[in-house]
Amino acid sequence: MSDDRPVTALIADDEAPMRDLLRARLQAVWPQLQIVAEAANGVEAVELGERLRPDIAFLDIRMPGLSGIEAARRLYDRSHIVFATAYDQYALDAFEHGALDYLLKPVSAERLATTCARLQARLKARAADGDPAPQDIGQQLAHLTTLLEHQGKPARPNYLRWIQAQVGASLRMISTREVLFFQSDEKYTRVQTASAEFLIRKTLKELLDELDPDEFWRVHRSTLVRVDAIGEVARDARGRHMLRLRNYPGEIEVSRNHTYLFQQM
C-alpha cells in the first residue's frame, strides 16, 4: 500500500442494520477509511473483494452463500481480515493467537478503535516490509472451518419476547414484535404499539439488558426504538435527526449522542 492513497475496506454482513452500524462507527473512529463496497452474503463479498482488492475486509462469520470464513480463505492474501461475530466461542478459541482479528456484536466503539489502531500498525508494517500475508492465517481459517462444520449454531441468548402490562384488573401480554418503541415516563415506561399505548414499571435500563440489541436501538437516553419499525430519518428545522415510524403518526427525536446510528445523513 502506498502512502499517497487512502486505506479501503469492504463490509460484508447479511443484516443491513449491522452494516449500517459498523459503517457509522468506522466513520467515527477512522474518518479517512474509505468503505468501497458492502456485501449482503459471502458470494458477493468474494466477488467484490477480488475485483476491488480492499485493504481490509470486515466479514460476518455466518452469512448465506458462503460463510465469512469461507470468503476469508479467498481474500486473506490480498486483504486484512476482521471477523464480526455474535458467537464469542470462535473468538476465544481461534483468534486469541495469530494474525486474524475479530469484533463481537454488537460492535462497541471502544473495541473498534482498538482494532483500527492495530490494523493501521499492520498496514504500515506490511507496506514497509513488503511481506505477504502471514502463513498462519491459512491455518487459523482451516481451524475455524472445522469448528463450523462440527458445531451446531450456538443458541441465541434468551432475549425478552413478551411484555406484561397491567390493564385495569387484567394482565395484557404484548409481543416485543408488536412494540414500536419504549419511552421512559417518570416512574413508568411507555410501551407503544401500532394500536395502543401501555405503561409498565420495568425501567429502560432493565429493558436494554433484556432486549435483543439487533432488534432495538437506543436513540435517546429515554427512548428505545424497534429498528424495523423505522420508516424514515429526517432532519427538522433545528437540524435534529427525527425518526418517522411505520404505523405511528408522531416523530421520535434522536439525541446527539446517538446520531452515529444514522451517520450517512
Side-chain angles (χ1 to χ4, degrees):
M1 182 188 69
S2 62
D3 293 335
D4 59 351
R5 75 169 180 86
V7 179
T8 58
L10 160 72
I11 294 175
D13 196 304
D14 60 332
E15 298 184 28
M18 292 299 99
R19 296 197 303 271
D20 294 343
L21 179 59
L22 180 55
R23 183 191 335 108
R25 290 196 163 168
L26 282 169
Q27 289 173 347
V29 303
W30 194 352
Q32 299 81 12
L33 181 68
Q34 287 194 5
I35 309 300
V36 293
E38 296 184 18
N41 58 65
V43 175
E44 287 183 4
V46 170
E47 190 277 325
L48 290 168
E50 291 179 340
R51 176 160 54 88
L52 300 175
R53 303 180 70 85
D55 298 302
I56 305 164
F58 294 91
L59 305 174
D60 183 25
I61 280 191
R62 291 192 178 274
M63 292 187 291
L66 291 173
S67 72
I69 296 169
E70 292 169 321
R73 297 182 79 168
R74 303 270 292 273
L75 300 176
Y76 80 89
D77 61 340
R78 61 178 62 86
S79 302
H80 288 270
I81 302 297
V82 181
F83 286 117
T85 176
Y87 309 114
D88 61 355
Q89 71 270 30
Y90 296 124
L92 294 174
D93 187 39
F95 301 126
E96 197 63 33
H97 306 286
L100 289 171
D101 209 338
Y102 71 95
L103 299 166
L104 292 181
K105 294 182 179 181
V107 177
S108 71
E110 293 79 10
R111 170 67 186 178
L112 186 58
T114 299
T115 297
C116 287
R118 184 159 45 242
L119 286 167
Q120 290 165 358
R122 287 177 176 172
L123 286 165
K124 184 177 180 180
R126 185 177 294 186
D129 299 339
D131 289 339
Q135 293 301 308
D136 68 337
I137 290 183
Q139 297 173 357
Q140 284 185 274
L141 291 172
H143 178 50
L144 280 169
T145 300
T146 300
L147 285 178
L148 282 178
E149 290 174 349
H150 292 88
Q151 294 183 8
K153 185 174 180 179
R156 290 173 60 86
N158 292 320
Y159 292 121
L160 186 65
R161 295 303 177 194
W162 294 92
I163 304 295
Q164 298 181 359
Q166 193 75 34
V167 181
S170 302
L171 186 66
R172 174 71 182 272
M173 300 295 292
I174 308 160
S175 169
T176 56
R177 295 291 304 175
E178 299 178 56
V179 178
L180 301 179
F181 63 86
F182 297 93
Q183 197 164 59
S184 61
D185 183 11
E186 296 181 355
K187 297 180 180 180
Y188 299 91
T189 295
R190 172 186 172 192
V191 182
Q192 183 68 54
T193 70
S195 59
E197 173 187 315
F198 306 91
L199 294 178
I200 60 174
R201 291 187 178 273
K202 190 179 288 285
T203 68
L204 213 64
K205 183 181 184 305
E206 290 173 319
L207 288 168
L208 268 173
D209 293 337
E210 297 175 6
L211 291 167
D212 187 341
D214 289 350
E215 296 182 7
F216 287 90
W217 286 358
R218 189 170 198 167
V219 299
H220 193 280
R221 62 184 176 85
S222 64
T223 311
L224 293 173
V225 173
R226 183 171 188 83
V227 178
D228 63 11
I230 300 172
E232 184 178 347
V233 187
R235 291 182 185 269
D236 65 7
R238 295 166 55 187
R240 298 175 302 177
H241 287 68
M242 306 297 291
L243 303 182
R244 296 167 185 166
L245 307 183
R246 299 182 181 90
N247 303 315
Y248 180 73
E251 292 184 325
I252 302 293
E253 179 183 352
V254 180
S255 72
R256 184 176 301 175
N257 290 339
H258 295 88
T259 55
Y260 68 84
L261 293 168
F262 312 98
Q263 194 69 36
Q264 63 270 32
M265 292 191 60

Short mmCIF file of all heavy atoms in Angstrom, two decimals, residues 200-253:
data_model
loop_
_atom_site.label_atom_id
_atom_site.label_comp_id
_atom_site.label_asym_id
_atom_site.label_seq_id
_atom_site.Cartn_x
_atom_site.Cartn_y
_atom_site.Cartn_z
N ILE A 200 -45.63 0.34 31.84
CA ILE A 200 -45.09 -0.75 32.64
C ILE A 200 -44.09 -0.15 33.64
O ILE A 200 -43.59 0.96 33.45
CB ILE A 200 -44.39 -1.82 31.78
CG1 ILE A 200 -43.22 -1.21 30.99
CG2 ILE A 200 -45.38 -2.48 30.84
CD1 ILE A 200 -42.39 -2.23 30.22
N ARG A 201 -43.78 -0.90 34.69
CA ARG A 201 -42.86 -0.42 35.71
C ARG A 201 -41.40 -0.80 35.43
O ARG A 201 -40.50 -0.36 36.12
CB ARG A 201 -43.28 -0.95 37.08
CG ARG A 201 -44.58 -0.35 37.60
CD ARG A 201 -44.85 -0.78 39.02
NE ARG A 201 -46.07 -0.16 39.53
CZ ARG A 201 -46.11 1.05 40.12
NH1 ARG A 201 -45.00 1.74 40.27
NH2 ARG A 201 -47.25 1.54 40.55
N LYS A 202 -41.15 -1.62 34.44
CA LYS A 202 -39.79 -2.01 34.09
C LYS A 202 -39.04 -0.79 33.55
O LYS A 202 -39.56 -0.05 32.72
CB LYS A 202 -39.82 -3.12 33.05
CG LYS A 202 -38.46 -3.78 32.80
CD LYS A 202 -38.58 -4.88 31.76
CE LYS A 202 -39.30 -6.09 32.30
NZ LYS A 202 -38.45 -6.88 33.22
N THR A 203 -37.82 -0.55 34.03
CA THR A 203 -37.06 0.62 33.61
C THR A 203 -36.43 0.41 32.24
O THR A 203 -36.27 -0.72 31.76
CB THR A 203 -35.95 0.95 34.61
OG1 THR A 203 -34.96 -0.10 34.58
CG2 THR A 203 -36.51 1.08 36.02
N LEU A 204 -36.02 1.53 31.63
CA LEU A 204 -35.37 1.45 30.33
C LEU A 204 -34.04 0.69 30.43
O LEU A 204 -33.67 -0.05 29.51
CB LEU A 204 -35.13 2.86 29.77
CG LEU A 204 -35.23 3.01 28.24
CD1 LEU A 204 -36.64 2.70 27.77
CD2 LEU A 204 -34.83 4.41 27.82
N LYS A 205 -33.34 0.87 31.53
CA LYS A 205 -32.08 0.14 31.72
C LYS A 205 -32.31 -1.36 31.78
O LYS A 205 -31.56 -2.15 31.19
CB LYS A 205 -31.38 0.61 33.00
CG LYS A 205 -30.02 -0.05 33.22
CD LYS A 205 -29.37 0.43 34.49
CE LYS A 205 -27.96 -0.15 34.64
NZ LYS A 205 -27.93 -1.62 34.55
N GLU A 206 -33.36 -1.79 32.47
CA GLU A 206 -33.69 -3.21 32.52
C GLU A 206 -34.02 -3.74 31.13
O GLU A 206 -33.60 -4.84 30.75
CB GLU A 206 -34.86 -3.44 33.47
CG GLU A 206 -34.53 -3.22 34.94
CD GLU A 206 -35.75 -3.29 35.83
OE1 GLU A 206 -36.81 -2.75 35.45
OE2 GLU A 206 -35.65 -3.90 36.92
N LEU A 207 -34.78 -2.96 30.37
CA LEU A 207 -35.13 -3.37 29.02
C LEU A 207 -33.89 -3.48 28.12
O LEU A 207 -33.78 -4.40 27.31
CB LEU A 207 -36.13 -2.38 28.42
CG LEU A 207 -37.54 -2.42 29.00
CD1 LEU A 207 -38.35 -1.22 28.55
CD2 LEU A 207 -38.25 -3.71 28.59
N LEU A 208 -32.96 -2.54 28.27
CA LEU A 208 -31.73 -2.58 27.49
C LEU A 208 -30.98 -3.89 27.71
O LEU A 208 -30.41 -4.47 26.79
CB LEU A 208 -30.83 -1.40 27.85
CG LEU A 208 -30.97 -0.12 27.02
CD1 LEU A 208 -30.13 0.99 27.64
CD2 LEU A 208 -30.57 -0.36 25.58
N ASP A 209 -30.97 -4.34 28.95
CA ASP A 209 -30.26 -5.58 29.28
C ASP A 209 -30.99 -6.83 28.79
O ASP A 209 -30.37 -7.88 28.61
CB ASP A 209 -30.08 -5.69 30.80
CG ASP A 209 -29.14 -4.63 31.35
OD1 ASP A 209 -28.31 -4.12 30.57
OD2 ASP A 209 -29.24 -4.30 32.55
N GLU A 210 -32.31 -6.73 28.56
CA GLU A 210 -33.11 -7.91 28.26
C GLU A 210 -33.53 -8.03 26.80
O GLU A 210 -33.89 -9.11 26.35
CB GLU A 210 -34.37 -7.90 29.15
CG GLU A 210 -34.07 -8.00 30.64
CD GLU A 210 -35.31 -7.88 31.50
OE1 GLU A 210 -36.42 -7.83 30.93
OE2 GLU A 210 -35.18 -7.82 32.74
N LEU A 211 -33.49 -6.92 26.05
CA LEU A 211 -33.93 -6.94 24.66
C LEU A 211 -32.78 -7.26 23.72
O LEU A 211 -31.62 -6.99 24.02
CB LEU A 211 -34.55 -5.59 24.28
CG LEU A 211 -35.89 -5.24 24.93
CD1 LEU A 211 -36.21 -3.77 24.71
CD2 LEU A 211 -37.01 -6.13 24.39
N ASP A 212 -33.11 -7.81 22.56
CA ASP A 212 -32.12 -8.13 21.53
C ASP A 212 -31.57 -6.82 20.95
O ASP A 212 -32.32 -6.04 20.37
CB ASP A 212 -32.80 -8.95 20.42
CG ASP A 212 -31.81 -9.48 19.40
OD1 ASP A 212 -30.69 -8.93 19.31
OD2 ASP A 212 -32.16 -10.43 18.67
N PRO A 213 -30.26 -6.56 21.06
CA PRO A 213 -29.71 -5.30 20.55
C PRO A 213 -29.75 -5.19 19.03
O PRO A 213 -29.59 -4.10 18.49
CB PRO A 213 -28.26 -5.32 21.06
CG PRO A 213 -27.95 -6.77 21.26
CD PRO A 213 -29.24 -7.40 21.70
N ASP A 214 -29.95 -6.31 18.34
CA ASP A 214 -30.13 -6.25 16.89
C ASP A 214 -31.53 -5.78 16.51
O ASP A 214 -31.75 -5.34 15.39
CB ASP A 214 -29.89 -7.62 16.26
CG ASP A 214 -28.42 -8.03 16.29
OD1 ASP A 214 -27.59 -7.16 16.63
OD2 ASP A 214 -28.12 -9.19 15.98
N GLU A 215 -32.48 -5.88 17.45
CA GLU A 215 -33.86 -5.52 17.16
C GLU A 215 -34.26 -4.16 17.71
O GLU A 215 -35.13 -3.50 17.14
CB GLU A 215 -34.79 -6.60 17.72
CG GLU A 215 -34.62 -7.96 17.05
CD GLU A 215 -35.59 -9.00 17.59
OE1 GLU A 215 -36.48 -8.62 18.38
OE2 GLU A 215 -35.46 -10.17 17.23
N PHE A 216 -33.64 -3.75 18.82
CA PHE A 216 -33.99 -2.47 19.43
C PHE A 216 -32.73 -1.62 19.62
O PHE A 216 -31.73 -2.10 20.16
CB PHE A 216 -34.67 -2.68 20.79
CG PHE A 216 -36.08 -3.19 20.70
CD1 PHE A 216 -36.33 -4.55 20.69
CD2 PHE A 216 -37.16 -2.31 20.61
CE1 PHE A 216 -37.63 -5.03 20.59
CE2 PHE A 216 -38.45 -2.77 20.51
CZ PHE A 216 -38.69 -4.14 20.50
N TRP A 217 -32.79 -0.38 19.13
CA TRP A 217 -31.69 0.56 19.28
C TRP A 217 -32.08 1.67 20.24
O TRP A 217 -33.22 2.16 20.21
CB TRP A 217 -31.33 1.19 17.94
CG TRP A 217 -30.61 0.29 17.00
CD1 TRP A 217 -30.21 -0.99 17.21
CD2 TRP A 217 -30.20 0.62 15.67
NE1 TRP A 217 -29.58 -1.48 16.10
CE2 TRP A 217 -29.55 -0.52 15.14
CE3 TRP A 217 -30.31 1.76 14.87
CZ2 TRP A 217 -29.02 -0.54 13.86
CZ3 TRP A 217 -29.79 1.74 13.60
CH2 TRP A 217 -29.14 0.59 13.09
N ARG A 218 -31.13 2.08 21.05
CA ARG A 218 -31.34 3.25 21.89
C ARG A 218 -31.01 4.48 21.05
O ARG A 218 -29.88 4.65 20.60
CB ARG A 218 -30.45 3.21 23.13
CG ARG A 218 -30.80 4.31 24.13
CD ARG A 218 -30.09 4.11 25.45
NE ARG A 218 -30.72 4.88 26.50
CZ ARG A 218 -30.47 4.72 27.79
NH1 ARG A 218 -29.61 3.80 28.18
NH2 ARG A 218 -31.08 5.46 28.69
N VAL A 219 -31.99 5.35 20.83
CA VAL A 219 -31.79 6.54 20.01
C VAL A 219 -31.80 7.81 20.84
O VAL A 219 -31.53 8.90 20.33
CB VAL A 219 -32.86 6.64 18.89
CG1 VAL A 219 -32.78 5.42 17.97
CG2 VAL A 219 -34.25 6.78 19.48
N HIS A 220 -32.12 7.67 22.12
CA HIS A 220 -32.18 8.80 23.06
C HIS A 220 -32.06 8.20 24.45
O HIS A 220 -32.34 7.02 24.65
CB HIS A 220 -33.52 9.53 22.89
CG HIS A 220 -33.59 10.87 23.56
ND1 HIS A 220 -33.83 10.99 24.92
CD2 HIS A 220 -33.45 12.13 23.08
CE1 HIS A 220 -33.85 12.28 25.23
NE2 HIS A 220 -33.61 12.99 24.14
N ARG A 221 -31.60 8.99 25.40
CA ARG A 221 -31.46 8.43 26.76
C ARG A 221 -32.78 7.92 27.31
O ARG A 221 -32.81 7.08 28.22
CB ARG A 221 -30.85 9.46 27.71
CG ARG A 221 -31.69 10.70 27.91
CD ARG A 221 -30.95 11.70 28.80
NE ARG A 221 -31.68 12.94 28.95
CZ ARG A 221 -32.63 13.15 29.83
NH1 ARG A 221 -32.97 12.17 30.66
NH2 ARG A 221 -33.26 14.31 29.90
N SER A 222 -33.91 8.39 26.75
CA SER A 222 -35.22 7.98 27.24
C SER A 222 -36.00 7.12 26.26
O SER A 222 -37.15 6.79 26.51
CB SER A 222 -36.06 9.21 27.59
OG SER A 222 -36.31 9.98 26.42
N THR A 223 -35.38 6.70 25.13
CA THR A 223 -36.15 6.02 24.09
C THR A 223 -35.39 4.86 23.46
O THR A 223 -34.24 4.99 23.06
CB THR A 223 -36.52 7.01 22.96
OG1 THR A 223 -37.09 8.19 23.53
CG2 THR A 223 -37.53 6.38 22.01
N LEU A 224 -36.08 3.72 23.37
CA LEU A 224 -35.63 2.56 22.60
C LEU A 224 -36.59 2.36 21.43
O LEU A 224 -37.81 2.35 21.64
CB LEU A 224 -35.63 1.29 23.45
CG LEU A 224 -34.64 1.17 24.61
CD1 LEU A 224 -34.94 -0.10 25.40
CD2 LEU A 224 -33.23 1.14 24.09
N VAL A 225 -36.07 2.19 20.23
CA VAL A 225 -36.91 2.05 19.03
C VAL A 225 -36.65 0.72 18.36
O VAL A 225 -35.50 0.28 18.26
CB VAL A 225 -36.64 3.20 18.03
CG1 VAL A 225 -37.39 2.97 16.72
CG2 VAL A 225 -37.06 4.53 18.62
N ARG A 226 -37.73 0.08 17.92
CA ARG A 226 -37.57 -1.15 17.13
C ARG A 226 -37.03 -0.78 15.76
O ARG A 226 -37.59 0.04 15.05
CB ARG A 226 -38.92 -1.86 17.00
CG ARG A 226 -38.77 -3.17 16.26
CD ARG A 226 -40.04 -4.03 16.29
NE ARG A 226 -39.71 -5.30 15.71
CZ ARG A 226 -39.15 -6.30 16.37
NH1 ARG A 226 -38.89 -6.16 17.65
NH2 ARG A 226 -38.84 -7.43 15.78
N VAL A 227 -35.90 -1.40 15.35
CA VAL A 227 -35.20 -1.00 14.14
C VAL A 227 -36.08 -1.15 12.91
O VAL A 227 -36.16 -0.25 12.06
CB VAL A 227 -33.89 -1.80 13.97
CG1 VAL A 227 -33.19 -1.41 12.68
CG2 VAL A 227 -32.97 -1.59 15.16
N ASP A 228 -36.77 -2.28 12.78
CA ASP A 228 -37.55 -2.48 11.56
C ASP A 228 -38.86 -1.72 11.55
O ASP A 228 -39.63 -1.81 10.58
CB ASP A 228 -37.77 -3.97 11.27
CG ASP A 228 -38.59 -4.68 12.35
OD1 ASP A 228 -39.16 -4.01 13.21
OD2 ASP A 228 -38.63 -5.93 12.31
N ALA A 229 -39.13 -0.93 12.61
CA ALA A 229 -40.29 -0.03 12.60
C ALA A 229 -39.94 1.33 12.01
O ALA A 229 -40.82 2.13 11.71
CB ALA A 229 -40.84 0.15 14.01
N ILE A 230 -38.63 1.61 11.85
CA ILE A 230 -38.20 2.90 11.32
C ILE A 230 -38.47 2.96 9.83
O ILE A 230 -37.97 2.15 9.06
CB ILE A 230 -36.70 3.14 11.60
CG1 ILE A 230 -36.43 3.11 13.11
CG2 ILE A 230 -36.25 4.47 11.00
CD1 ILE A 230 -34.96 3.15 13.46
N GLY A 231 -39.29 3.94 9.43
CA GLY A 231 -39.59 4.10 8.02
C GLY A 231 -38.75 5.16 7.35
O GLY A 231 -38.42 5.07 6.16
N GLU A 232 -38.36 6.19 8.12
CA GLU A 232 -37.63 7.31 7.52
C GLU A 232 -36.89 8.07 8.61
O GLU A 232 -37.33 8.14 9.76
CB GLU A 232 -38.64 8.24 6.82
CG GLU A 232 -38.02 9.41 6.07
CD GLU A 232 -39.07 10.25 5.36
OE1 GLU A 232 -40.23 9.78 5.25
OE2 GLU A 232 -38.74 11.37 4.93
N VAL A 233 -35.75 8.63 8.25
CA VAL A 233 -34.98 9.50 9.14
C VAL A 233 -34.86 10.85 8.44
O VAL A 233 -34.43 10.93 7.29
CB VAL A 233 -33.58 8.94 9.43
CG1 VAL A 233 -32.87 9.78 10.49
CG2 VAL A 233 -33.65 7.49 9.87
N ALA A 234 -35.25 11.92 9.14
CA ALA A 234 -35.23 13.25 8.54
C ALA A 234 -34.63 14.24 9.53
O ALA A 234 -34.51 13.97 10.73
CB ALA A 234 -36.64 13.68 8.13
N ARG A 235 -34.25 15.40 9.03
CA ARG A 235 -33.78 16.49 9.89
C ARG A 235 -34.87 17.55 9.99
O ARG A 235 -35.51 17.89 8.99
CB ARG A 235 -32.51 17.12 9.33
CG ARG A 235 -31.27 16.24 9.37
CD ARG A 235 -30.08 17.03 8.82
NE ARG A 235 -28.89 16.22 8.72
CZ ARG A 235 -27.97 16.10 9.68
NH1 ARG A 235 -28.17 16.72 10.83
NH2 ARG A 235 -26.89 15.37 9.49
N ASP A 236 -35.08 18.07 11.20
CA ASP A 236 -36.07 19.13 11.36
C ASP A 236 -35.39 20.49 11.16
O ASP A 236 -34.20 20.56 10.80
CB ASP A 236 -36.77 19.05 12.72
CG ASP A 236 -35.82 19.30 13.89
OD1 ASP A 236 -34.65 19.68 13.66
OD2 ASP A 236 -36.27 19.14 15.04
N ALA A 237 -36.13 21.58 11.36
CA ALA A 237 -35.61 22.92 11.13
C ALA A 237 -34.42 23.25 12.01
O ALA A 237 -33.60 24.11 11.68
CB ALA A 237 -36.73 23.94 11.34
N ARG A 238 -34.29 22.59 13.15
CA ARG A 238 -33.18 22.82 14.07
C ARG A 238 -32.00 21.88 13.82
O ARG A 238 -31.02 21.89 14.57
CB ARG A 238 -33.66 22.67 15.51
CG ARG A 238 -34.70 23.72 15.91
CD ARG A 238 -35.41 23.36 17.20
NE ARG A 238 -34.47 23.12 18.30
CZ ARG A 238 -34.83 22.65 19.49
NH1 ARG A 238 -36.11 22.35 19.71
NH2 ARG A 238 -33.93 22.49 20.44
N GLY A 239 -32.10 21.06 12.77
CA GLY A 239 -31.01 20.16 12.43
C GLY A 239 -31.01 18.85 13.20
O GLY A 239 -30.07 18.06 13.08
N ARG A 240 -32.04 18.58 13.99
CA ARG A 240 -32.09 17.35 14.76
C ARG A 240 -32.54 16.19 13.86
O ARG A 240 -33.35 16.37 12.97
CB ARG A 240 -33.07 17.49 15.93
CG ARG A 240 -32.70 18.55 16.94
CD ARG A 240 -33.79 18.69 17.99
NE ARG A 240 -35.08 19.03 17.37
CZ ARG A 240 -36.22 19.14 18.03
NH1 ARG A 240 -36.24 18.92 19.35
NH2 ARG A 240 -37.33 19.46 17.41
N HIS A 241 -32.02 15.00 14.15
CA HIS A 241 -32.48 13.80 13.46
C HIS A 241 -33.82 13.37 14.09
O HIS A 241 -33.92 13.23 15.31
CB HIS A 241 -31.47 12.66 13.61
CG HIS A 241 -30.23 12.83 12.81
ND1 HIS A 241 -29.30 13.81 13.07
CD2 HIS A 241 -29.74 12.14 11.73
CE1 HIS A 241 -28.30 13.71 12.21
NE2 HIS A 241 -28.54 12.70 11.38
N MET A 242 -34.80 13.16 13.24
CA MET A 242 -36.12 12.74 13.69
C MET A 242 -36.52 11.45 12.96
O MET A 242 -36.36 11.35 11.75
CB MET A 242 -37.16 13.83 13.43
CG MET A 242 -36.80 15.20 14.01
SD MET A 242 -36.68 15.20 15.83
CE MET A 242 -38.41 14.95 16.28
N LEU A 243 -37.03 10.48 13.73
CA LEU A 243 -37.46 9.21 13.16
C LEU A 243 -38.95 9.24 12.89
O LEU A 243 -39.74 9.67 13.75
CB LEU A 243 -37.14 8.05 14.10
CG LEU A 243 -35.69 7.87 14.53
CD1 LEU A 243 -35.57 6.64 15.42
CD2 LEU A 243 -34.76 7.76 13.33
N ARG A 244 -39.34 8.78 11.73
CA ARG A 244 -40.74 8.57 11.40
C ARG A 244 -40.96 7.06 11.31
O ARG A 244 -40.30 6.38 10.53
CB ARG A 244 -41.10 9.26 10.09
CG ARG A 244 -40.98 10.79 10.17
CD ARG A 244 -41.03 11.46 8.83
NE ARG A 244 -40.80 12.89 8.97
CZ ARG A 244 -40.52 13.70 7.95
NH1 ARG A 244 -40.42 13.20 6.71
NH2 ARG A 244 -40.30 15.00 8.16
N LEU A 245 -41.86 6.58 12.14
CA LEU A 245 -42.06 5.14 12.25
C LEU A 245 -43.26 4.69 11.43
O LEU A 245 -44.21 5.45 11.21
CB LEU A 245 -42.28 4.75 13.71
CG LEU A 245 -41.23 5.22 14.71
CD1 LEU A 245 -41.54 4.68 16.10
CD2 LEU A 245 -39.83 4.80 14.28
N ARG A 246 -43.21 3.45 10.99
CA ARG A 246 -44.35 2.87 10.30
C ARG A 246 -45.49 2.66 11.30
O ARG A 246 -45.27 2.23 12.42
CB ARG A 246 -43.96 1.53 9.66
CG ARG A 246 -42.83 1.66 8.62
CD ARG A 246 -42.53 0.30 7.99
NE ARG A 246 -41.43 0.40 7.02
CZ ARG A 246 -40.15 0.24 7.32
NH1 ARG A 246 -39.82 -0.05 8.57
NH2 ARG A 246 -39.21 0.36 6.40
N ASN A 247 -46.69 2.96 10.88
CA ASN A 247 -47.90 2.75 11.70
C ASN A 247 -47.92 3.59 12.97
O ASN A 247 -48.52 3.21 13.98
CB ASN A 247 -48.06 1.26 12.06
CG ASN A 247 -48.12 0.36 10.85
OD1 ASN A 247 -48.82 0.66 9.89
ND2 ASN A 247 -47.38 -0.74 10.87
N TYR A 248 -47.24 4.75 12.91
CA TYR A 248 -47.27 5.67 14.05
C TYR A 248 -47.20 7.09 13.51
O TYR A 248 -46.30 7.41 12.70
CB TYR A 248 -46.10 5.39 14.99
CG TYR A 248 -46.08 6.30 16.20
CD1 TYR A 248 -47.01 6.13 17.23
CD2 TYR A 248 -45.14 7.32 16.31
CE1 TYR A 248 -46.99 6.98 18.33
CE2 TYR A 248 -45.12 8.17 17.41
CZ TYR A 248 -46.05 7.99 18.41
OH TYR A 248 -46.04 8.83 19.51
N PRO A 249 -48.11 7.98 13.91
CA PRO A 249 -48.18 9.31 13.31
C PRO A 249 -47.14 10.31 13.80
O PRO A 249 -46.85 11.29 13.12
CB PRO A 249 -49.60 9.78 13.68
CG PRO A 249 -49.90 9.06 14.97
CD PRO A 249 -49.24 7.72 14.83
N GLY A 250 -46.57 10.10 14.98
CA GLY A 250 -45.64 11.06 15.53
C GLY A 250 -44.20 10.85 15.07
O GLY A 250 -43.91 10.01 14.22
N GLU A 251 -43.29 11.64 15.65
CA GLU A 251 -41.87 11.53 15.36
C GLU A 251 -41.10 11.27 16.65
O GLU A 251 -41.53 11.67 17.73
CB GLU A 251 -41.35 12.80 14.69
CG GLU A 251 -41.89 13.05 13.29
CD GLU A 251 -41.27 14.27 12.65
OE1 GLU A 251 -41.01 15.26 13.38
OE2 GLU A 251 -41.05 14.26 11.42
N ILE A 252 -39.95 10.63 16.50
CA ILE A 252 -39.08 10.33 17.64
C ILE A 252 -37.76 11.05 17.44
O ILE A 252 -37.12 10.92 16.39
CB ILE A 252 -38.82 8.81 17.75
CG1 ILE A 252 -40.13 8.04 17.90
CG2 ILE A 252 -37.86 8.52 18.90
CD1 ILE A 252 -40.85 8.29 19.20
N GLU A 253 -37.34 11.79 18.45
CA GLU A 253 -36.08 12.52 18.34
C GLU A 253 -34.88 11.61 18.62
O GLU A 253 -34.93 10.76 19.52
CB GLU A 253 -36.04 13.69 19.33
CG GLU A 253 -34.75 14.49 19.29
CD GLU A 253 -34.70 15.60 20.33
OE1 GLU A 253 -35.74 15.84 20.98
OE2 GLU A 253 -33.62 16.22 20.48
#
